[in-house]
Amino acid sequence: MTKRHNRTVALVLAGLLALTGCSSVAVSAADIPDGPIRGGILQYGTDVQPVAGGIDPYSAQAFSGMNFWVQIYEPLLTRDDQGNIQPGLATKWEQLDATTYRFHLRKNVKFSNGEPFTARDVKYSLETMAASGTLQARLLNEFESATVIDDHTVDAHLSAPSGVFLGVVSDVGTGSIVNKDWYSSASKDERQRGAVGTGPFKLTGWQDNVVLELRRNEHYWDPQLPYLDGIDFRIFADEQSRLAALRQGSMDAIWLGDEQLAEQVQGEGFEIGHNAATRSLSLYIDSTSGPTEDTRIRQAISKAMDREKIALLASYGYGKIAGIVPVGDPAAIEHPEDLPNYTHDPEGARALLEDANAVGTKVTITYPSDASFSRDIALYEVMKEQLRAVGIELVLNPLPWADTLSTFVSGKFKGIIAIPGVARSDASAYFAGFLSPKATTNTTGAHGKKATALWQKLNTTIDPAQRKEALQQLETEVADQVLNLVPYVVTQRQELWSPRLQGYAPDPYSFRINLKKGWLVP
């Protein structure tokens, strides 16, 4: 049976289930025990497997890797749902002076291979992530080195005060601590397709585009967790297929990007968890060559975009207007609709193009075409029509996600490239990809000099009120020069699960970190 036929069958089945309103929810309130019980393999339907660096936390940069490795690796500190920093692998931390932090580590922690977790692993991890060239490195500009005081105490030394350091080491997506001996001796492939962490689960199997098998880490430092024996993350690129599998009962939980599709199961007995609006579709722009090197053309593109209509049509009414920091992040600026060039102004756009003698110019937009990114496809068609109305021909260049991502990471893209964003550890992190001098994806050139200086100011500002002001200045400059475009922001995912899964609640940032607290009704 062909893949195409498989997909057709799944779509037909999903449609029939939707029409009949039937589902396989078979657990009643009477079946649910009073407290958590141990055992069982959770079947979780997900969209894509890790790409571009796999699950190596110091080389991978995609959300597809992060949302898997958070089950395996843990950060030095953590954050609660309100963004407040909490203990993690470090039970306590203190700032010895303006540029030195001391971390007191949790005792009796072991990695999944049974080796003890010590300060030398923290020193190695911090220094490796700072030199990695990934997002962590772009944010750890002020980090210099770490010193082991004893097995359970480590100091981090900065070259200057940093407003982002604690955010990086408390973020599950960027602050992962690895086992020094294993990581330093493993090959590139072993680090990308294997892992040794302190987290609740360990990777035991990986069938490409089929399943990633996680099993309980018997050495986990919290003896009460996890309750599950393991999790099978099964890959369904098509969202209708995922929904059909949940309704059939072959999946205990899934997540969906399409909010409209998630609403179909209301009243069918499934739980629905909505995440914060942190998925920004960032349009990175090459400001160093081609038509988009001209600021007037970039500004014309921004003015030509009717963001309210885009949010209504391209995201089925669920989109929100935002700056570079998504509105679901507590740090987001107020009134992003008032940023320069955000008001829909086709006449102003045409005037800019005429001034640049660029009416009729062609600009290419590259974007992922995989089924798991289907909810974004309407955006590019809407943008194409809006830009055509002012005299710009938007050339659509769909590519597989892996190719889109590798093109982006190389920094060799031309025109515009669309990269979905996720929640970040600090407001400054959302700008790092196109403003950090260390980033290969920084294609702002001379146009980004002022913005880069403002970004560096934000990094080294600690006072909350001053940071808020610095962020507003940075958002304004980026919007004025149109160094990056955010057409809309939506929730990252909607999670759906059967009553068979108990004790689980989604985190606001869509990392699924609370699966370690979930348990299955037999």
Side-chain angles (χ1 to χ4, degrees):
M1 188 178 287
T2 65
K3 289 182 178 179
R4 182 177 180 182
H5 184 64
N6 277 331
R7 182 173 181 271
T8 301
V9 170
L11 288 170
V12 170
L13 177 58
L16 289 173
L17 287 167
L19 287 171
T20 62
C22 80
S23 71
S24 63
V25 175
V27 177
S28 67
D31 297 324
I32 300 173
D34 292 335
I37 58 176
R38 298 188 178 280
I41 307 296
L42 176 72
Q43 299 298 314
Y44 195 115
T46 192
D47 45 5
V48 294
Q49 70 177 22
V51 297
I55 56 172
D56 180 352
Y58 304 152
S59 70
Q61 302 184 60
F63 182 62
S64 60
M66 291 180 187
N67 60 58
F68 282 105
W69 80 56
V70 298
Q71 310 296 338
I72 302 169
Y73 293 112
E74 294 180 303
L76 200 54
L77 302 173
T78 59
R79 291 186 294 167
D80 61 23
D81 287 354
Q82 289 71 47
N84 302 310
I85 296 177
Q86 303 291 338
L89 288 174
T91 58
K92 186 172 65 173
W93 65 99
E94 54 192 315
Q95 189 168 1
L96 302 183
D97 56 46
T99 58
T100 307
Y101 289 88
R102 173 162 292 178
F103 298 94
H104 300 273
L105 307 182
R106 192 178 296 276
K107 297 179 180 179
N108 301 316
V109 175
K110 292 183 179 181
F111 289 97
S112 59
N113 62 0
E115 294 183 3
F117 159 73
T118 69
R120 64 193 289 270
D121 298 301
V122 175
K123 171 181 169 63
Y124 176 81
S125 296
L126 291 175
E127 293 177 351
T128 302
M129 69 173 73
S132 65
T134 56
L135 178 64
Q136 299 96 310
R138 301 169 204 162
L139 297 174
L140 294 176
N141 292 309
E142 289 73 44
F143 175 80
E144 285 190 330
S145 64
T147 300
V148 172
I149 306 303
D150 57 43
D151 278 356
H152 299 100
T153 312
V154 61
D155 287 353
H157 307 286
L158 312 182
S159 61
S162 172
V164 304
F165 176 71
L166 287 181
V168 174
V169 301
S170 64
D171 185 82
V172 293
T174 60
S176 300
I177 300 299
V178 302
N179 176 271
K180 177 182 184 297
D181 290 341
W182 178 82
Y183 192 93
S184 61
S185 62
S187 67
K188 179 180 178 181
D189 185 65
E190 288 171 335
R191 293 193 297 264
Q192 293 186 2
R193 295 182 67 88
V196 174
T198 62
F201 297 97
K202 59 185 179 181
L203 179 66
T204 58
W206 184 338
Q207 298 179 53
D208 279 332
N209 297 309
V210 177
V211 63
L212 275 83
E213 298 174 350
L214 302 183
R215 295 299 178 261
R216 189 179 192 275
N217 175 11
E218 62 270 24
H219 299 293
Y220 192 49
W221 54 266
D222 186 340
Q224 300 300 316
L225 299 175
Y227 297 111
L228 297 168
D229 285 338
I231 306 170
D232 286 347
F233 285 108
R234 297 198 174 272
I235 313 299
F236 297 79
D238 180 77
E239 299 214 318
Q240 288 278 9
S241 299
R242 240 173 289 148
L243 183 58
L246 178 69
R247 281 169 156 162
Q248 294 167 28
S250 58
M251 291 295 108
D252 300 307
I254 64 170
W255 70 8
L256 299 172
D258 188 340
E259 292 183 72
Q260 197 173 40
L261 189 59
E263 289 180 354
Q264 289 185 12
V265 303
Q266 287 185 347
E268 294 184 23
F270 296 106
E271 294 286 340
I272 304 177
H274 297 280
N275 303 119
T278 56
R279 184 187 187 271
S280 54
L281 189 66
S282 293
L283 305 184
Y284 289 77
I285 305 173
D286 176 18
S287 301
T288 64
S289 65
T292 49
E293 183 179 6
D294 192 317
T295 301
R296 293 167 295 183
I297 294 178
R298 298 196 307 278
Q299 290 173 335
I301 292 172
S302 187
K303 287 179 180 292
M305 292 170 58
D306 186 339
R307 287 170 170 80
E308 290 187 3
K309 184 173 289 187
I310 285 173
L312 178 64
L313 298 178
S315 60
Y316 309 107
Y318 295 101
K320 298 177 176 62
I321 297 174
I324 304 302
V325 180
V327 294
D329 190 305
I333 63 168
E334 298 176 6
H335 306 298
E337 67 277 5
D338 294 336
L339 288 168
N341 301 306
Y342 263 52
T343 300
H344 183 221
D345 181 11
E347 291 185 2
R350 280 190 289 269
L352 285 166
L353 292 174
E354 290 171 359
D355 185 59
N357 194 28
V359 175
T361 193
K362 294 183 179 180
V363 176
T364 298
I365 182 167
T366 300
Y367 57 89
S369 58
D370 307 51
S372 54
F373 296 91
S374 59
R375 60 174 162 163
D376 298 321
I377 302 301
L379 161 71
Y380 312 117
E381 296 292 344
V382 173
M383 277 188 62
K384 184 174 182 176
E385 292 305 312
Q386 291 182 353
L387 267 59
R388 177 183 292 160
V390 303
I392 298 174
E393 182 180 347
L394 189 65
V395 180
L396 306 184
N397 181 36
L399 292 177
W401 169 232
D403 294 339
T404 303
L405 189 59
S406 62
T407 300
F408 169 64
V409 171
S410 73
K412 296 179 181 179
F413 60 88
K414 299 299 179 184
I416 302 171
I417 190 166
I419 301 294
V422 299
R424 295 301 190 186
S425 58
D426 184 84
S428 68
Y430 297 98
F431 300 85
F434 62 94
L435 290 181
S436 171
K438 295 181 180 180
T440 58
T441 52
N442 181 344
T443 55
T444 60
H447 301 291
K449 285 186 176 180
K450 181 178 178 181
T452 298
L454 289 170
W455 176 71
Q456 291 169 335
K457 176 184 176 183
L458 178 63
N459 284 344
T460 56
T461 300
I462 298 175
D463 179 77
Q466 294 178 0
R467 291 202 95 217
K468 184 176 181 179
E469 181 180 352
L471 176 60
Q472 182 71 55
Q473 293 173 349
L474 177 56
E475 288 273 21
T476 300
E477 174 63 17
V478 169
D480 181 59
Q481 292 297 306
V482 195
L483 303 175
N484 189 283
L485 285 168
V486 177
Y488 61 78
V489 168
V490 293
T491 57
Q492 187 66 237
R493 297 290 193 278
Q494 292 76 45
E495 294 187 75
L496 289 70
W497 63 95
S498 154
R500 186 168 181 251
L501 173 61
Q502 294 289 313
Y504 177 66
D507 62 282
Y509 309 109
S510 305
F511 280 116
R512 305 185 287 205
I513 57 175
N514 292 326
L515 284 175
K516 66 180 180 181
K517 300 177 182 178
W519 52 278
L520 291 174
V521 177

XYZ file of all heavy atoms in Angstrom, residues 341-420:
614
model
N 5.765 50.818 10.218
C 5.484 50.016 9.020
C 4.494 48.880 9.269
O 4.281 48.047 8.392
C 6.779 49.451 8.414
C 7.767 50.529 8.032
O 7.437 51.448 7.298
N 8.988 50.435 8.555
N 3.859 48.833 10.450
C 2.899 47.772 10.736
C 1.507 48.104 10.220
O 0.700 47.209 9.986
C 2.841 47.504 12.244
C 3.704 46.339 12.685
C 5.052 46.282 12.331
C 3.189 45.306 13.453
C 5.842 45.215 12.728
C 3.973 44.227 13.857
C 5.300 44.185 13.489
O 6.077 43.133 13.869
N 1.195 49.386 10.074
C -0.122 49.775 9.572
C -0.228 49.451 8.088
O 0.695 49.733 7.315
C -0.355 51.275 9.781
O -0.291 51.571 11.172
C -1.713 51.700 9.229
N -1.335 48.831 7.691
C -1.539 48.513 6.277
C -1.660 49.813 5.486
O -2.595 50.595 5.669
C -2.818 47.683 6.109
C -3.070 47.261 4.710
N -4.327 47.282 4.136
C -2.228 46.796 3.757
C -4.246 46.860 2.889
N -2.987 46.559 2.633
N -0.683 50.044 4.607
C -0.598 51.314 3.889
C -0.145 51.054 2.456
O 1.008 51.287 2.096
C 0.397 52.241 4.611
C 0.529 53.604 3.947
O -0.280 53.921 3.054
O 1.466 54.339 4.329
N -1.050 50.551 1.592
C -0.660 50.237 0.215
C -0.175 51.453 -0.565
O 0.742 51.339 -1.392
C -1.936 49.637 -0.392
C -3.049 50.018 0.530
C -2.446 50.167 1.880
N -0.764 52.611 -0.321
C -0.299 53.804 -1.028
C 1.124 54.156 -0.627
O 1.956 54.513 -1.471
C -1.244 54.972 -0.743
C -2.625 54.808 -1.366
C -3.492 56.036 -1.152
O -2.996 57.030 -0.559
O -4.664 56.001 -1.571
N 1.397 54.067 0.675
C 2.763 54.320 1.126
C 3.743 53.314 0.567
O 4.887 53.653 0.228
N 3.319 52.054 0.443
C 4.178 51.019 -0.119
C 4.496 51.312 -1.573
O 5.656 51.204 -2.009
C 3.501 49.652 0.019
N 3.474 51.700 -2.348
C 3.695 52.006 -3.769
C 4.628 53.208 -3.925
O 5.485 53.236 -4.820
C 2.364 52.274 -4.470
C 1.617 50.998 -4.850
C 0.434 51.299 -5.759
N -0.644 51.961 -5.036
C -1.636 51.328 -4.434
N -1.693 50.003 -4.476
N -2.586 51.995 -3.797
N 4.474 54.201 -3.044
C 5.335 55.381 -3.119
C 6.798 55.002 -2.867
O 7.716 55.514 -3.537
C 4.875 56.429 -2.106
N 7.029 54.121 -1.931
C 8.392 53.675 -1.655
C 8.986 52.927 -2.843
O 10.160 53.108 -3.197
C 8.396 52.770 -0.422
C 8.247 53.452 0.926
C 7.916 52.431 2.013
C 9.532 54.202 1.301
N 8.171 52.085 -3.468
C 8.655 51.341 -4.634
C 8.956 52.269 -5.808
O 9.948 52.078 -6.528
C 7.618 50.293 -5.046
C 7.412 49.128 -4.072
C 6.249 48.261 -4.533
C 8.680 48.301 -3.948
N 8.103 53.251 -6.001
C 8.346 54.219 -7.085
C 9.620 55.008 -6.822
O 10.404 55.270 -7.743
C 7.141 55.153 -7.227
C 5.901 54.454 -7.787
C 4.665 55.319 -7.732
O 4.767 56.467 -7.235
O 3.587 54.849 -8.157
N 9.827 55.387 -5.556
C 11.042 56.119 -5.200
C 12.288 55.273 -5.448
O 13.336 55.798 -5.834
C 10.981 56.530 -3.725
C 12.155 57.406 -3.323
O 12.326 58.489 -3.923
O 12.920 56.998 -2.420
N 12.154 53.950 -5.250
C 13.279 53.040 -5.457
C 13.358 52.540 -6.893
O 14.252 51.748 -7.219
C 13.163 51.857 -4.508
N 12.416 53.013 -7.744
C 12.338 52.547 -9.132
C 12.260 51.021 -9.166
O 12.947 50.347 -9.941
C 13.555 53.033 -9.948
C 13.353 52.866 -11.441
O 12.217 52.881 -11.931
N 14.445 52.673 -12.172
N 11.406 50.483 -8.288
C 11.367 49.035 -8.103
C 9.968 48.456 -8.280
O 9.711 47.331 -7.841
C 11.893 48.687 -6.720
N 9.051 49.191 -8.917
C 7.726 48.645 -9.168
C 7.867 47.436 -10.085
O 8.531 47.495 -11.120
C 6.800 49.692 -9.802
C 5.453 49.063 -10.175
C 6.595 50.866 -8.852
N 7.268 46.320 -9.696
C 7.388 45.099 -10.485
C 8.524 44.196 -10.057
O 8.743 43.142 -10.666
N 9.243 44.584 -9.000
C 10.375 43.777 -8.544
C 9.910 42.420 -8.021
O 8.793 42.271 -7.513
C 11.163 44.522 -7.438
O 12.400 43.863 -7.228
C 10.382 44.563 -6.141
N 10.796 41.419 -8.162
C 10.496 40.067 -7.687
C 11.265 39.775 -6.410
O 12.459 40.064 -6.315
C 10.871 39.030 -8.748
C 10.040 39.094 -10.012
C 10.442 37.988 -10.978
C 9.594 38.026 -12.244
N 9.982 36.934 -13.190
N 10.581 39.202 -5.429
C 11.199 38.791 -4.170
C 10.799 37.347 -3.907
O 9.607 37.021 -3.947
C 10.755 39.692 -2.995
C 11.337 39.171 -1.683
C 11.186 41.134 -3.235
N 11.769 36.501 -3.627
C 11.505 35.081 -3.384
C 11.292 34.825 -1.894
O 12.016 35.352 -1.055
C 12.668 34.210 -3.881
O 12.813 34.381 -5.295
C 12.427 32.732 -3.567
N 10.297 34.014 -1.576
C 10.094 33.563 -0.198
C 10.194 32.040 -0.168
O 9.486 31.342 -0.897
C 8.757 34.044 0.393
C 8.623 33.594 1.850
C 7.564 33.573 -0.416
C 7.493 34.277 2.611
N 11.115 31.536 0.643
C 11.314 30.100 0.827
C 10.615 29.675 2.106
O 10.717 30.352 3.123
C 12.819 29.776 0.909
O 13.451 30.196 -0.316
C 13.058 28.290 1.129
N 9.928 28.554 2.065
C 9.174 28.126 3.247
C 9.017 26.604 3.235
O 9.090 25.967 2.184
C 7.800 28.798 3.299
C 6.941 28.557 2.078
C 6.081 27.456 2.009
C 6.976 29.423 0.991
C 5.290 27.236 0.893
C 6.198 29.206 -0.127
C 5.351 28.119 -0.172
O 4.573 27.900 -1.284
N 8.793 25.997 4.426
C 8.617 24.542 4.489
C 7.267 24.117 3.937
O 6.247 24.720 4.245
C 8.741 24.224 5.979
C 8.413 25.509 6.672
C 8.847 26.607 5.763
N 7.283 23.050 3.147
C 6.064 22.599 2.476
C 5.501 21.306 3.047
O 4.481 20.807 2.553
C 6.346 22.385 0.978
O 7.398 21.428 0.806
N 6.137 20.744 4.073
C 5.694 19.474 4.648
C 4.268 19.585 5.188
O 3.809 20.669 5.554
C 6.613 19.035 5.784
C 8.075 19.010 5.378
O 8.533 20.027 4.836
O 8.743 18.002 5.621
N 3.610 18.440 5.286
C 2.226 18.425 5.780
C 2.117 19.012 7.174
O 1.109 19.642 7.515
C 1.689 16.989 5.771
N 3.148 18.840 7.990
C 3.093 19.342 9.361
C 3.143 20.866 9.421
O 2.915 21.456 10.474
C 4.246 18.752 10.189
O 5.488 18.994 9.564
N 3.432 21.520 8.287
C 3.452 22.990 8.239
C 2.299 23.525 7.388
O 2.305 24.687 6.982
C 4.780 23.489 7.668
C 5.975 23.144 8.511
C 6.681 21.970 8.294
C 6.389 23.976 9.535
C 7.773 21.640 9.071
C 7.480 23.656 10.322
C 8.179 22.478 10.094
N 1.306 22.689 7.162
C 0.229 23.069 6.240
C -0.557 24.287 6.705
O -1.109 25.024 5.886
C -0.724 21.885 6.047
O -1.291 21.485 7.289
N -0.610 24.527 8.022
C -1.411 25.658 8.499
C -0.825 27.002 8.091
O -1.494 28.031 8.186
C -1.565 25.599 10.011
C -0.262 25.645 10.803
C -0.552 25.718 12.285
N 0.589 25.342 13.100
C 0.692 25.628 14.386
N -0.274 26.279 14.996
N 1.740 25.255 15.074
N 0.445 27.016 7.652
C 1.068 28.277 7.247
C 0.907 28.566 5.756
O 1.144 29.697 5.322
C 2.573 28.252 7.557
C 2.865 28.106 9.034
O 2.137 28.715 9.840
O 3.821 27.386 9.386
N 0.551 27.548 4.971
C 0.568 27.696 3.524
C -0.328 28.844 3.057
O 0.024 29.596 2.142
C 0.142 26.380 2.832
C 1.081 25.233 3.248
C 0.142 26.542 1.328
C 2.538 25.463 2.922
N -1.488 29.001 3.694
C -2.406 30.070 3.271
C -1.759 31.443 3.407
O -2.063 32.359 2.633
C -3.690 30.004 4.084
N -0.859 31.597 4.378
C -0.213 32.889 4.593
C 0.501 33.370 3.340
O 0.376 34.534 2.947
C 0.793 32.796 5.742
C 1.849 33.917 5.775
C 1.215 35.227 6.182
C 2.999 33.567 6.680
N 1.250 32.478 2.714
C 2.077 32.889 1.584
C 1.210 33.292 0.391
O 1.571 34.208 -0.359
C 3.042 31.759 1.223
C 3.759 31.211 2.444
C 3.596 29.896 2.847
C 4.559 32.047 3.227
C 4.221 29.402 3.993
C 5.181 31.564 4.374
C 4.998 30.245 4.747
O 5.600 29.771 5.888
N 0.082 32.625 0.236
C -0.829 33.013 -0.842
C -1.442 34.388 -0.567
O -1.579 35.214 -1.470
C -1.934 31.964 -0.999
C -1.442 30.587 -1.422
C -0.890 30.562 -2.839
O -1.151 31.521 -3.603
O -0.197 29.590 -3.189
N -1.825 34.626 0.692
C -2.384 35.931 1.056
C -1.335 37.023 0.881
O -1.618 38.098 0.334
C -2.904 35.910 2.510
C -3.326 37.306 2.946
C -4.086 34.947 2.640
N -0.111 36.751 1.347
C 0.973 37.728 1.179
C 1.225 38.025 -0.298
O 1.454 39.183 -0.686
C 2.262 37.214 1.827
C 2.378 37.453 3.314
S 4.032 37.013 3.925
C 5.079 38.171 3.020
N 1.202 36.983 -1.096
C 1.459 37.164 -2.534
C 0.459 38.139 -3.145
O 0.845 39.030 -3.922
C 1.388 35.810 -3.241
C 1.740 35.870 -4.721
C 1.799 34.468 -5.325
C 2.207 34.557 -6.795
N 2.363 33.201 -7.407
N -0.823 37.988 -2.791
C -1.849 38.886 -3.319
C -1.677 40.299 -2.783
O -1.832 41.282 -3.520
C -3.238 38.344 -2.975
C -3.601 37.055 -3.696
C -3.483 37.194 -5.206
O -3.995 38.190 -5.748
O -2.855 36.318 -5.841
N -1.369 40.436 -1.514
C -1.212 41.769 -0.921
C -0.009 42.498 -1.514
O -0.074 43.709 -1.755
C -1.084 41.647 0.594
C -2.372 41.195 1.276
C -2.253 41.113 2.781
O -1.173 41.268 3.347
N -3.374 40.858 3.450
N 1.079 41.781 -1.758
C 2.263 42.413 -2.331
C 2.060 42.722 -3.811
O 2.545 43.753 -4.314
C 3.497 41.526 -2.134
C 4.322 41.815 -0.874
C 3.472 41.641 0.393
C 5.557 40.928 -0.810
N 1.329 41.856 -4.506
C 1.059 42.107 -5.917
C 0.273 43.400 -6.080
O 0.472 44.150 -7.047
C 0.278 40.930 -6.501
C -0.111 41.134 -7.978
C -0.950 39.958 -8.469
N -0.147 38.745 -8.537
C -0.661 37.526 -8.544
N -1.971 37.363 -8.434
N 0.127 36.472 -8.632
N -0.602 43.684 -5.123
C -1.437 44.884 -5.206
C -0.631 46.169 -5.159
O -1.114 47.216 -5.600
C -2.464 44.872 -4.080
N 0.587 46.131 -4.627
C 1.405 47.350 -4.552
C 2.546 47.338 -5.561
O 3.282 48.330 -5.677
C 1.968 47.552 -3.131
C 0.841 47.603 -2.118
C 2.996 46.498 -2.770
N 2.732 46.217 -6.271
C 3.768 46.195 -7.302
C 4.957 45.315 -7.005
O 6.028 45.511 -7.576
N 4.795 44.342 -6.122
C 5.873 43.392 -5.824
C 5.383 41.988 -6.171
O 4.289 41.584 -5.774
C 6.274 43.427 -4.335
C 6.809 44.797 -3.956
C 7.327 42.350 -4.031
C 7.081 44.959 -2.466
N 6.196 41.254 -6.925
C 5.863 39.872 -7.236
C 6.570 38.956 -6.238
O 7.794 38.857 -6.227
C 6.282 39.499 -8.657
C 5.892 38.073 -9.016
C 6.294 37.684 -10.430
O 6.648 38.591 -11.224
O 6.270 36.469 -10.730
N 5.794 38.309 -5.396
C 6.348 37.378 -4.414
C 6.425 35.997 -5.057
O 5.408 35.392 -5.393
C 5.470 37.336 -3.164
C 6.032 36.563 -1.969
C 7.289 37.237 -1.424
C 4.984 36.449 -0.857
N 7.640 35.501 -5.223
C 7.870 34.205 -5.853
C 7.908 33.137 -4.765
O 8.752 33.186 -3.867
C 9.185 34.195 -6.649
C 9.407 32.835 -7.302
C 9.178 35.306 -7.699
N 7.004 32.181 -4.811
C 6.905 31.150 -3.781
C 7.889 30.020 -4.073
O 7.934 29.487 -5.175
C 5.479 30.611 -3.715
C 4.365 31.644 -3.521
C 3.014 30.941 -3.363
C 4.643 32.528 -2.318
N 8.650 29.650 -3.048
C 9.658 28.603 -3.184
C 9.496 27.578 -2.060
O 10.224 27.599 -1.063
C 11.062 29.213 -3.143
C 12.161 28.163 -3.297
O 11.993 27.198 -4.036
N 13.267 28.351 -2.601
N 8.528 26.661 -2.175
C 8.326 25.654 -1.126
C 9.411 24.580 -1.167
O 9.777 24.101 -2.243
C 6.956 25.079 -1.484
C 6.830 25.274 -2.966
C 7.555 26.541 -3.280
N 9.906 24.199 0.000
C 10.915 23.149 0.121
C 10.568 22.243 1.290
O 9.882 22.668 2.219
C 12.310 23.759 0.370
C 12.981 24.567 -0.732
C 14.300 25.131 -0.220
C 13.207 23.722 -1.974
N 11.048 21.008 1.295
C 10.901 20.180 2.495
C 11.521 20.884 3.696
O 12.497 21.635 3.544
C 11.660 18.898 2.143
C 11.639 18.845 0.646
C 11.715 20.278 0.198
N 10.981 20.622 4.897
C 11.442 21.303 6.101
C 12.937 21.130 6.329
O 13.645 22.090 6.657
C 10.650 20.807 7.294
C 11.178 21.231 8.642
C 11.459 20.432 9.697
C 11.463 22.570 9.094
N 11.894 21.170 10.775
C 11.918 22.495 10.421
C 11.387 23.829 8.477
C 12.288 23.604 11.164
C 11.761 24.949 9.228
C 12.203 24.835 10.547
N 13.449 19.937 6.131
C 14.873 19.699 6.359
C 15.717 20.581 5.443
O 16.745 21.136 5.860
C 15.215 18.229 6.153
N 15.281 20.732 4.191
C 16.023 21.576 3.246
C 15.869 23.052 3.580
O 16.821 23.840 3.452
C 15.529 21.314 1.815
C 15.839 19.912 1.333
O 16.749 19.280 1.910
O 15.173 19.450 0.398
N 14.662 23.439 3.994
C 14.445 24.830 4.397
C 15.341 25.191 5.569
O 15.989 26.241 5.581
C 12.970 25.058 4.787
O 12.126 24.698 3.704
C 12.719 26.516 5.153
N 15.390 24.307 6.556
C 16.174 24.574 7.751
C 17.660 24.622 7.446
O 18.377 25.506 7.934
C 15.882 23.517 8.819
C 16.474 23.782 10.205
C 15.952 25.104 10.774
C 16.137 22.637 11.162
N 18.151 23.699 6.633
C 19.582 23.704 6.305
C 19.957 24.940 5.493
O 21.039 25.509 5.672
C 19.963 22.426 5.542
O 19.267 22.340 4.311
N 19.050 25.378 4.614
C 19.285 26.614 3.862
C 19.357 27.808 4.797
O 20.232 28.676 4.670
C 18.159 26.827 2.824
O 18.128 25.726 1.923
C 18.380 28.120 2.044
N 18.442 27.838 5.769
C 18.417 28.926 6.745
C 19.686 28.935 7.590
O 20.335 29.976 7.742
C 17.186 28.778 7.630
C 17.173 29.683 8.832
C 17.118 31.059 8.692
C 17.207 29.151 10.117
C 17.101 31.895 9.795
C 17.184 29.964 11.226
C 17.138 31.342 11.075
N 20.044 27.782 8.146
C 21.205 27.694 9.028
C 22.485 28.076 8.298
O 23.399 28.671 8.885
C 21.321 26.278 9.631
C 22.633 26.100 10.383
C 20.146 26.007 10.571
N 22.560 27.785 7.001
C 23.758 28.139 6.224
C 23.906 29.642 6.057
O 25.007 30.148 5.808
C 23.690 27.486 4.842
O 22.731 28.131 4.010
N 22.787 30.369 6.185
C 22.821 31.816 5.996
C 22.918 32.230 4.543
O 23.154 33.402 4.233
N 22.720 31.280 3.620
C 22.900 31.565 2.199
C 21.571 31.763 1.462
O 21.527 31.720 0.236
C 23.701 30.436 1.544
C 25.115 30.306 2.092
C 25.873 29.152 1.438
C 27.279 29.042 2.022
N 28.041 27.898 1.423
N 20.504 31.961 2.225
C 19.216 32.177 1.584
C 19.163 33.570 0.966
O 19.879 34.488 1.379
C 18.080 32.004 2.590
C 18.121 32.955 3.761
C 17.519 34.206 3.687
C 18.767 32.602 4.934
C 17.549 35.078 4.760
C 18.811 33.473 6.014
C 18.201 34.708 5.936
N 18.307 33.722 -0.022
C 18.096 35.004 -0.692
C 16.638 35.434 -0.509
O 15.751 34.609 -0.363
C 18.426 34.902 -2.187
C 19.865 34.512 -2.485
C 20.849 35.535 -1.931
C 22.286 35.131 -2.219
N 23.260 36.081 -1.602
N 16.432 36.723 -0.510
C 15.069 37.225 -0.339
C 14.583 37.003 1.073
O 15.142 37.538 2.037
N 13.547 36.178 1.232
C 12.909 35.937 2.524
C 12.837 34.434 2.772
O 12.632 33.655 1.841
C 11.481 36.530 2.540
C 11.517 38.037 2.254
C 10.782 36.264 3.868
C 10.141 38.652 2.040
N 13.001 34.025 4.005
C 12.830 32.622 4.369
C 12.000 32.549 5.643
O 12.204 33.317 6.578
C 14.189 31.900 4.534
C 13.994 30.386 4.679
C 14.989 32.468 5.696
C 15.284 29.587 4.511
N 11.028 31.646 5.651
C 10.085 31.532 6.775
C 10.520 30.423 7.715
O 10.682 29.274 7.301
C 8.681 31.248 6.248
N 10.695 30.770 8.993
C 11.111 29.821 10.015
C 10.176 29.964 11.223
O 10.179 31.000 11.888
C 12.563 30.048 10.462
C 13.518 29.930 9.269
C 12.938 29.070 11.569
C 13.608 28.539 8.668
N 9.374 28.949 11.519
C 8.496 29.037 12.705
C 9.317 29.165 13.976
O 10.354 28.514 14.129
C 7.731 27.708 12.668
C 7.817 27.255 11.246
C 9.160 27.719 10.766
